[in-house]
Amino acid sequence: MKVLTLILAAAARYALSQSFEPADFNITEVLLKNGVDTSVLTEPSALTERNVYTGCFKACNILSFLFHPDVIVDGITEGSTEYADFNKAYWSQQQELVRPHCIFYPENAQNITTLISISRFSGCPFAVKSGGHAAFANASNIEGGVTVAFAKMKGLKLSADKKSVDVQPGNVWHDVYSALEKDSLAVVGGRVSPIGVGGLTTGGGISFFANEFGWACDNVESYEVVTASAKIITATPTSYSDLYWALRGGGNNFGIVTSLKLRTFPLGKMWGGDRIFLEPQFPATIDAFINLGNNAAKDPKAAQILSFVVQGGSKFASAQLEYAEPNANASIFSEWNAITPAVDNITIRTLPELTDKLAETSPNGLRQSYWAQTVKLDRDLLTFILNAFFEESAKLADVIDLLNPLSFQVITVPQMQKMQQNGGNALGLDPEQGPLLLINPAPQWTDAADDERVNRFVDTLFKRTAVEAEKRGLASRYIYMNYASRYQDVIASYGHSNKVKLKRIARKYDPDRVFQKLQPGYFKLDGAPASL
Ligand SMILES: Cc1cc2nc3c(=O)[nH]c(=O)nc-3n(C[C@H](O)[C@H](O)[C@H](O)COP(=O)(O)OP(=O)(O)OC[C@H]3O[C@@H](n4cnc5c(N)ncnc54)[C@H](O)[C@@H]3O)c2cc1C
Ligand SMILES: *[C@@H]1O[C@H](CO)[C@@H](O)[C@H](O)[C@H]1NC(C)=O
Ligand SMILES: *[C@@H]1O[C@H](CO)[C@@H](O)[C@H](O)[C@H]1NC(C)=O
Ligand SMILES: *[C@@H]1O[C@H](CO)[C@@H](O)[C@H](O)[C@H]1NC(C)=O
Ligand SMILES: *[C@@H]1O[C@H](CO)[C@@H](O)[C@H](O)[C@H]1NC(C)=O
Ligand SMILES: *[C@@H]1O[C@H](CO)[C@@H](O)[C@H](O)[C@H]1NC(C)=O
């Protein structure tokens, strides 16, 4: 009996030490500490039908009461231009059409502790928006809830030794690169100017510089995070190291990231842009792409994306090529440079100029769908996938305003090796299994009536690809979060043991499952956001 009691006591002590939030955690008290006396709050008298969640009346009222009027935009008065402008700033129309009950602009991490507490107190769910480029509805906007936007958190501070920069999630990559350019520095981040620091980094983050340094999440020295218990903590390789690991690819499941310390490196001008190729050149572009993907270690300053596009009755290929030096004739690109393009828009540019150039083809306001799949890098399999893509996309000829690109990238062995630095990331990628071919269909259209057909088209293409890859022994389970569609189970694709580990870490920092239930959008720990 005595032994059992001792064991139970030890188990309880152990459980407590594993749990970050005390068992007697009291949200009312946290709110009181933040200056919110919940006992004086009165219930709103009228509920409108727009109010998906009743608690959101309460939550938005408390927020309006506590914060200066320009810190909160009340969604009930939907007519305001500020509200409309806010929604127009999302990239996809699917996210633009989501109607939050109110929009909250925190000024700092402490304000976010208040938001989390109010959400827990009222039961009102929230979403978090950085650059707003996640494509599917409710990914970073929330119907009837509170959308948290970082527009007032654009802090950016280079360290005294210039080896790192603290960046708040209100910044997009263009802001970061422009600020660092005067010191001839850069960081590992997004390739298109308006992409957010918050979403890209927490999901992985493929960069022009990935072969040399790894992905964006692998070059974060520390994350400042507001946890479910409304605490502000800093996760590093040595402090809250489990949380640090989980944030490297685990998405929005662990907390709200309020600042990231990014490692800098020297960068002058670079060579880059895009070239258009016509059908007779397709086989040569595929050869050049495969060879550069396999030879990435020979010169890690090179980067490439090869896309095939169907638009109207025509087909073309677009190659984005970059070199991290102002060198127009790097020998690693000799095979690429020997192919004659129809249009050549590659030149020597600064990094911010390059990201602006690449943003020209991605306007806001259209219906969008991003998808991700991986297989082992293989020329014949790529050709199979491309032919299947052309076959299936021919069936969409009557989809209005369809622009149908299929992009290929290589998750190279050097990238996967760099992912192992500082304790590794959550993605479950093994350099021994590389290189991988990352397949990213990204159809764009205008009529919601076509959604179902467009989504089924990609689903069919992926099923055909998976069967063929399996048959050839070239399958890979990994799904890249930042490109995945809402029909894909990203966390499961990190592998069973990583999923179990991520769930254990979530249980420790978020025992009440705040980031699963009160922040329901995007890729949660269990299952895909939706089914087709
Ligand atoms: C035109 C275009 C170009 C792209 N280029 C690249 C590229 O070069 N490399 C690449 O890897 N990917 C790229 N992507 C994919 C991109 O990484 C994802 O769309 C990513 O989600 C965008 O981040 P965001 O902050 O803009 O998005 P948001 O929609 O604001 O956020 C996406 C998700 O991240 C969460 N999130 C955002 N901020 C935080 C935070 N501070 N704390 C916790 N969670 C947060 C949100 O809740 C949301 O669920 C591109 C996408 C597009 C449309
Ligand atoms: C939480 O704290 C408040 C304020 O101190 C108190 O009134 C309430 O009873 C506490 N709730 C619980 C469940 O302990
Ligand atoms: C929000 O942050 C401001 C600036 O630091 C602070 O003065 C204010 O008390 C905070 N408000 C809440 C409710 O967290
Ligand atoms: C977005 O969330 C709302 C509220 O949960 C839900 O009604 C709606 O169907 C969601 N939209 C999509 C496209 O999933
Ligand atoms: C580019 O490099 C190749 C060898 O890699 C060389 O043959 C060619 O002359 C160079 N061209 C220019 C313009 O420097
Ligand atoms: C792209 O290059 C073509 C020539 O190949 C040129 O006519 C065009 O102006 C360039 N476009 C941009 C946007 O730089």
Side-chain angles (χ1 to χ4, degrees):
M1 222 22 221
K2 183 125 188 273
V3 173
L4 183 63
T5 315
L6 281 174
I7 291 171
L8 284 176
R13 265 201 314 278
Y14 178 75
L16 207 64
S17 73
Q18 292 300 295
S19 160
F20 178 80
E21 182 170 296
D24 61 352
F25 180 72
N26 182 329
I27 202 69
T28 315
E29 278 177 1
V30 176
L31 277 166
L32 259 177
K33 216 175 70 198
N34 277 14
V36 187
D37 182 357
T38 53
S39 67
V40 303
L41 296 168
T42 50
E43 292 291 327
S45 50
L47 297 178
T48 67
E49 59 182 28
R50 271 232 34 259
N51 201 34
V52 177
Y53 306 97
T54 50
C56 295
F57 239 104
K58 196 187 268 174
C60 289
N61 273 356
I62 305 173
L63 287 168
S64 330
F65 173 77
L66 283 176
F67 291 89
H68 190 263
D70 73 344
V71 172
I72 180 101
V73 176
D74 193 340
I76 303 167
T77 53
E78 250 182 59
S80 76
T81 51
E82 207 183 345
Y83 185 88
D85 289 348
F86 174 80
N87 262 19
K88 282 208 183 77
Y90 284 95
W91 178 60
S92 75
Q93 190 187 86
Q94 288 96 322
Q95 288 239 78
E96 178 189 335
L97 295 177
V98 173
R99 311 245 135 225
H101 193 106
C102 63
I103 300 155
F104 175 52
Y105 297 101
E107 292 176 276
N108 50 37
Q110 196 225 321
N111 287 177
I112 294 176
T113 66
T114 304
L115 175 272
I116 297 226
S117 310
I118 290 172
S119 170
R120 290 185 71 166
F121 173 74
S122 65
C124 175
F126 61 92
V128 169
K129 181 208 177 204
S130 176
H133 272 71
F136 56 88
N138 296 339
S140 51
N141 201 1
I142 182 159
E143 189 70 38
V146 181
T147 296
V148 181
F150 296 113
K152 290 179 188 283
M153 290 179 63
K154 292 180 69 112
L156 212 151
K157 192 168 180 293
L158 193 58
S159 66
D161 65 6
K162 301 193 177 186
K163 291 201 165 121
S164 65
V165 60
D166 289 314
V167 178
Q168 286 187 314
N171 289 291
V172 297
W173 291 105
H174 192 272
D175 301 326
V176 181
Y177 299 148
S178 308
L180 294 174
E181 194 199 337
K182 47 185 174 294
D183 290 292
S184 297
L185 294 171
V187 291
V188 179
R191 294 167 290 196
V192 182
S193 48
I195 308 303
V197 166
L200 180 128
T201 311
T202 45
I206 312 179
S207 151
F208 300 130
F209 316 108
N211 286 342
E212 196 166 4
F213 301 112
W215 285 11
C217 69
D218 305 315
N219 289 277
V220 180
E221 292 182 351
S222 64
Y223 294 91
E224 182 190 81
V225 192
V226 174
T227 68
S229 321
K231 280 192 191 139
I232 304 168
I233 60 175
T234 301
T236 76
T238 51
S239 162
Y240 303 108
S241 58
D242 49 358
L243 182 61
Y244 173 77
W245 175 86
L247 287 166
R248 287 171 63 179
N252 69 9
N253 290 299
F254 303 91
I256 299 182
V257 175
T258 48
S259 187
L260 307 97
K261 189 183 284 298
L262 308 178
R263 199 175 62 79
T264 63
F265 58 87
L267 183 79
K269 286 195 175 189
M270 48 190 292
W271 176 81
D274 51 25
R275 285 178 183 161
I276 305 294
F277 298 93
L278 302 180
E279 248 181 296
Q281 271 81 43
F282 287 3
T285 63
I286 294 170
D287 286 336
F289 173 83
I290 297 277
N291 292 333
L292 181 53
N294 280 319
N295 293 330
K298 287 200 177 135
D299 188 344
K301 289 188 188 296
Q304 62 171 350
I305 301 180
L306 175 59
S307 308
F308 294 90
V309 185
V310 176
Q311 187 175 28
S314 65
K315 289 175 191 164
F316 62 91
S318 157
Q320 279 178 23
L321 306 175
E322 291 85 16
Y323 193 70
E325 297 276 346
N327 177 358
N329 198 29
S331 62
I332 187 115
F333 282 112
S334 56
E335 191 176 0
W336 268 114
N337 287 338
I339 314 169
T340 307
V343 179
D344 186 357
N345 286 121
I346 300 190
T347 175
I348 308 281
R349 300 177 154 98
T350 66
L351 176 56
E353 284 165 1
L354 180 57
T355 63
D356 274 342
K357 167 74 190 150
L358 298 180
E360 283 168 7
T361 47
S362 303
N364 286 10
L366 298 162
R367 296 197 79 73
Q368 305 281 358
S369 176
Y370 257 50
W371 294 68
Q373 189 176 33
T374 54
V375 295
K376 300 266 165 66
L377 183 66
D378 178 83
R379 193 193 192 289
D380 291 343
L381 183 56
L382 188 154
T383 305
F384 170 89
I385 297 164
L386 185 59
N387 289 335
F389 166 72
F390 288 140
E391 245 172 72
E392 297 297 334
S393 65
K395 300 173 189 164
L396 298 179
D398 58 331
V399 170
I400 301 161
D401 300 325
L402 179 70
L403 179 73
N404 202 7
L406 176 68
S407 283
F408 293 115
Q409 297 180 54
V410 182
I411 304 179
T412 65
V413 171
Q415 287 173 24
M416 291 160 129
Q417 285 166 340
K418 291 288 176 184
M419 288 182 187
Q420 316 308 317
Q421 66 200 353
N422 294 326
N425 66 29
L427 307 179
L429 291 172
D430 174 1
E432 303 283 311
Q433 303 294 312
L436 296 178
L437 175 67
L438 172 58
I439 309 158
N440 170 217
Q444 167 191 304
W445 66 104
T446 50
D447 189 351
D450 290 320
D451 289 9
E452 167 87 12
R453 279 180 67 206
V454 174
N455 287 324
R456 291 249 172 242
F457 147 77
V458 186
D459 189 54
T460 304
L461 175 66
F462 276 11
K463 283 183 177 137
R464 289 181 64 179
T465 301
V467 168
E468 190 65 22
E470 198 62 53
K471 202 164 83 191
R472 295 174 189 234
L474 298 170
S476 157
R477 67 173 176 227
Y478 174 65
I479 298 171
Y480 181 36
M481 180 182 286
N482 288 355
Y483 295 165
S485 79
R486 64 197 188 112
Y487 309 110
Q488 300 187 278
D489 186 355
V490 167
I491 299 295
S493 85
Y494 294 0
H496 178 70
S497 67
N498 279 13
K499 177 171 167 169
V500 168
K501 194 168 156 190
L502 286 168
K503 291 184 72 164
R504 194 171 63 231
I505 296 165
R507 212 158 41 239
K508 172 172 163 190
Y509 291 95
D510 182 12
D512 253 11
R513 305 183 75 240
V514 169
F515 288 101
Q516 303 304 299
K517 292 183 296 190
L518 287 172
Q519 194 205 44
Y522 215 51
F523 300 100
K524 301 287 97 172
L525 296 167
D526 277 305
S531 54
L532 189 61

